[in-house]
Amino acid sequence: MGRAEAIKHLAMPVVVDPQDTLTQLDAVLGDWKSDTEWAATVQEVGAVYRVVEPRDTALTTAGGLWSSKRTGKASK
């Protein structure tokens, strides 16, 4: 998440080295897995983004937070 997005969501922006952070997260999480309901939601959102037209706006929700994604330039 970028600094502007973090601030918009009232979160604290943190600057880290991505590779080092992923290595540390992997060690901390160990064998932890998300529940299947959350994983299914992620797959559904991905499926929607794969089939929308370039002029479409896809509106999705995760954890009660709504977001929209403009998928491309509008066709003329």
Side-chain angles (χ1 to χ4, degrees), residues 36-47:
T36 56
E37 182 179 325
W38 184 85
T41 300
V42 170
Q43 290 175 348
E44 291 167 3
V45 169

Side-chain angles (χ1 to χ4, degrees), residues 2-58:
R3 183 177 187 275
E5 279 294 304
I7 292 169
K8 181 173 85 174
H9 293 289
L10 303 175
M12 178 183 294
V14 178
V15 178
V16 298
D17 174 81
Q19 185 61 48
D20 184 48
T21 302
L22 290 174
T23 300
Q24 291 181 39
L25 277 173
D26 187 49
V28 170
L29 294 174
D31 293 332
W32 180 86
K33 302 279 188 229
S34 66
D35 64 31
T36 56
E37 182 179 325
W38 184 85
T41 300
V42 170
Q43 290 175 348
E44 291 167 3
V45 169
V48 169
Y49 285 165
R50 285 190 295 277
V51 299
V52 294
E53 296 292 327
R55 68 183 180 281
D56 294 339
T57 298

Side-chain angles (χ1 to χ4, degrees), residues 12 30 39 67 71 76:
M12 178 183 294
S67 66
T71 59
K76 290 187 177 185

